[in-house]
Amino acid sequence: MKPPPFSYHDPSNVGEVISLLGSLENPKLLAGGQSLMPMLNMRYVMPDHVIDLNKVEGLSYIKEDGGTISIGGMTRQRDLEYSDVMKAKCPLMHDALLQVGHRQTRNRGTIGGSLSHLDPAAELPAVCAAHDAVVIVQGPNGEREIPFSEFPLGYMTPATEMDELLTGVKIPAWAEGHGYAFVEFSRRHGDFAITSAAALLEVGSDGGITRASLTVGGVGAAPVRMNDIEQALIGQSGDEERFRELCEACREIDALGDVYASSEYRQHLATVLSRRALVKAYDRATGKA
Amino acid sequence: MGETRKISLSVNGKTYEEEVEVRFTLADFLRQQLGLTGTHLGCEHGVCGACTILLNGRSARSCLMLAVQADGQEITTIEGIAPSEEEMHPLQEAFRDNHGLQCGFCTPGMLTTLIEFLGDNPDPTEQEVREAISGNLCRCTGYQGIVAAALDAAQRLREAKGV
Ligand SMILES: Cc1cc2nc3c(=O)[nH]c(=O)nc-3n(C[C@@H](O)[C@H](O)[C@H](O)COP(=O)(O)OP(=O)(O)OC[C@H]3O[C@@H](n4cnc5c(N)ncnc54)[C@H](O)[C@@H]3O)c2cc1C
Ligand code: FES
Ligand code: FES
């Protein structure tokens, strides 16, 4: 198992990347390599040109401006995991990152690579769906902003065009003290989730929920936002029985079945994990956890 | 031979200038071109952790990096962790004393992973150690001896630092 022969390019700025993408036949971008290198080693992909993004300047940053967190496409998962800004402003991502692969893979893997690879069970796309993130891509015609809800076009297919690259993500932060939880089921720690659930809650001083986001991952090509449950949660207090009733709607999700888990099993996991995520998020919002 | 490039990198404190095929993984480069066969290859697709090295002090899978990407970087392999020819690293001693290895295939990856982990977390719980080595497969020990060795090494390292 070795990568097939290719030409190697290591541009130093985004402009060069875009002109290489536009001029080379059958190119492939290389970010952290934690998904692409296995595919090269197994020769699932055979690019004629590998364009390495690791030396491109200005793509690795975590910035906070007003209520928005901006993250560069080449920011390593490890840097996000250890970032105080992320822990304070987007704790859901911190929760999720601890379940993305292993320390060694997070040291190399990037947020842009994870979103572009778009594995149906990946945690970071689910976090972006939960937060209504905006993906920034750049191509020959300049920059485009794509709401995350429109980013996955299908199974492992992002809306990025062939001559574009993902340069960043913008995440609107939730109110200070909001509740959050990322829970997943996998066979072993660090494996891709079979199914996951991400919850965000804002709770008023009377204990009533004022804002809710619930996302289920691993059930289809892209993370699914449970809009009906989100609406029904407004005004609810943290009654676990009520959460349980509402989450029953997850049994209706059009879930995929494969060798790892049947569609019914994924629906069941979605139901249970959604409830757990809501309970944990509510407890965190109200200072109980 | 396909396209090649000249790279310059430091491995275990020694500088190497080498011409390398661009499609060569860092693991193959270390083993075949530099003869440092302590870095083991189990799966060559990122799952087993046997090939873990330290890249500028951070653990990484050398089967998932190209050798050209190591240009200008500092690599530490298992051959470079002991302080001298005569002395072992406290982690190596702890592995020996706690039956942390049997065949030894997974050991280089376990040690490099744990060196970084214990640097970040000098006083870990057993659960934290288990999570830290979750990306390293061992087919022999059942992990118990490895976890014991890691906890023992953590203590030795703390004592050596006088904490
Ligand atoms: C053992 C192991 C366990 C793992 N477990 C998990 C897990 O539990 N959850 C999880 O989510 N992931 C997991 N992963 C994969 C994760 O580590 C990768 O980081 C991620 O999927 C890809 O990110 P990368 O930066 O490594 O991208 P690469 O592998 O370099 O690239 C992936 C794809 O994205 C494209 N791409 C990369 N960057 C850009 C860009 N800026 N613009 C456009 N296209 C781009 C590449 O061309 C390629 O097609 C695991 C990997 C391993 C080896
Ligand atoms: S050989 Fe690199 S992870 Fe298995
Ligand atoms: S000691 Fe044999 S694989 Fe771990």
Side-chain angles (χ1 to χ4, degrees):
Chain A
M1 280 194 301
K2 306 288 159 180
F6 52 75
S7 288
Y8 175 78
H9 309 265
D10 53 350
S12 57
N13 62 57
V14 171
E16 277 176 61
V17 177
I18 294 168
S19 60
L20 285 170
L21 279 173
S23 59
L24 298 172
E25 279 292 318
N26 188 23
K28 196 84 190 149
L29 295 172
L30 173 61
Q34 302 303 293
S35 295
L36 183 58
M37 286 297 297
M39 295 193 296
L40 286 174
N41 285 351
M42 293 190 275
R43 302 198 175 188
Y44 285 151
V45 287
M46 310 247 275
D48 290 311
H49 299 272
V50 167
I51 306 172
D52 190 349
L53 298 177
N54 285 277
K55 287 195 186 147
V56 177
E57 277 166 24
L59 287 183
S60 176
Y61 56 84
I62 302 167
K63 285 188 258 189
E64 192 216 338
D65 185 12
T68 306
I69 306 151
S70 302
I71 304 170
M74 278 300 289
T75 309
R76 310 262 176 211
Q77 293 156 8
R78 180 204 166 88
D79 294 329
L80 291 164
E81 176 187 338
Y82 280 82
S83 150
D84 290 335
V85 172
M86 295 309 290
K87 258 184 243 175
K89 300 288 170 181
C90 187
L92 180 69
M93 186 175 289
H94 185 256
D95 233 19
L97 275 165
L98 297 176
Q99 305 175 62
V100 176
H102 314 278
R103 170 179 290 265
Q104 302 106 325
T105 67
R106 294 196 293 271
N107 279 343
R108 296 289 299 161
T110 65
I111 185 167
S114 180
L115 298 181
S116 303
H117 190 62
L118 211 57
D119 189 289
E123 289 84 357
L124 296 179
V127 171
C128 287
H131 262 282
D132 295 305
V134 174
V135 179
I136 305 161
V137 301
Q138 217 169 306
N141 303 320
E143 208 171 85
R144 289 199 294 146
E145 297 203 342
I146 311 169
F148 192 81
S149 58
E150 294 164 23
F151 186 67
L153 297 182
Y155 179 70
M156 296 180 90
T157 311
T160 323
E161 296 289 344
M162 301 294 279
D163 54 0
E164 290 176 325
L165 76 156
L166 189 161
T167 52
V169 192
K170 282 190 201 163
I171 299 185
W174 279 41
E176 187 132 355
H178 70 272
Y180 62 92
F182 195 99
V183 294
E184 68 175 45
F185 179 76
S186 60
R187 294 255 173 233
R188 286 163 306 201
H189 180 85
D191 281 9
F192 277 100
I194 291 176
T195 299
S196 65
L200 291 168
L201 294 176
E202 285 178 12
V203 179
S205 52
D206 62 349
I209 294 172
T210 54
R211 189 179 174 198
S213 160
L214 180 65
T215 307
V216 176
V219 288
V224 183
R225 278 286 288 270
M226 304 303 294
N227 295 318
D228 291 348
I229 301 181
E230 291 172 359
Q231 272 164 29
L233 281 166
I234 304 300
Q236 300 288 330
S237 65
D239 177 21
E240 183 164 356
E241 270 320 301
R242 187 72 188 116
F243 286 166
R244 187 189 303 273
E245 280 165 34
L246 289 173
C247 291
E248 281 300 312
C250 296
R251 294 197 198 275
E252 306 299 318
I253 295 173
D254 189 12
L256 62 100
D258 59 21
V259 289
Y260 301 109
S262 66
S263 141
E264 295 73 34
Y265 184 52
R266 282 201 164 85
Q267 290 165 334
H268 175 70
L269 283 176
T271 311
V272 174
L273 295 172
S274 291
R275 178 192 18 106
R276 286 187 192 160
L278 289 174
V279 169
K280 203 167 170 186
Y282 188 86
D283 285 350
R284 279 171 166 165
T286 51
K288 271 188 271 171
Chain B
M1 196 135 116
E3 184 179 312
T4 63
R5 265 212 194 192
K6 203 168 173 102
I7 61 170
S8 160
L9 75 170
S10 151
V11 182
N12 302 327
K14 191 171 157 198
T15 304
Y16 292 86
E17 306 241 346
E18 292 280 326
E19 186 86 21
V20 61
E21 208 177 333
V22 296
R23 65 167 167 152
F24 240 47
T25 64
L26 177 59
D28 281 341
F29 170 75
L30 292 169
R31 289 176 55 84
Q32 297 178 20
Q33 209 158 324
L34 301 191
L36 295 170
T37 51
T39 298
H40 291 167
L41 280 167
C43 67
E44 298 183 69
H45 63 267
V47 178
C48 72
C51 67
T52 305
I53 49 91
L54 295 169
L55 168 70
N56 304 322
R58 300 259 171 255
S59 59
R61 285 155 158 38
S62 61
C63 73
L64 299 187
M65 264 184 78
L66 297 170
V68 281
Q69 294 184 298
D71 184 30
Q73 315 290 316
E74 260 177 49
I75 307 285
T76 308
T77 68
I78 189 67
E79 286 92 344
I81 70 168
S84 71
E85 288 281 326
E86 293 76 37
E87 264 176 297
M88 289 202 289
H89 188 279
L91 256 170
Q92 291 173 307
E93 286 179 351
F95 265 63
R96 184 178 62 185
D97 295 347
N98 292 278
H99 305 284
L101 66 152
Q102 285 178 30
C103 79
F105 195 87
C106 66
T107 315
M110 289 285 179
L111 293 175
T112 44
T113 298
L114 285 168
I115 284 177
E116 185 203 15
F117 170 68
L118 294 180
D120 283 351
N121 188 350
D123 193 4
T125 63
E126 178 180 335
Q127 184 57 31
E128 286 168 339
V129 169
R130 287 188 185 275
E131 279 176 22
I133 58 166
S134 64
N136 297 72
L137 301 183
C138 175
R139 308 269 56 197
C140 303
T141 63
Y143 300 100
Q144 202 54 44
I146 296 175
V147 173
L151 292 169
D152 183 12
Q155 194 179 346
R156 291 178 200 221
L157 287 162
R158 285 197 306 275
E159 279 165 10
K161 269 205 219 139
V163 212

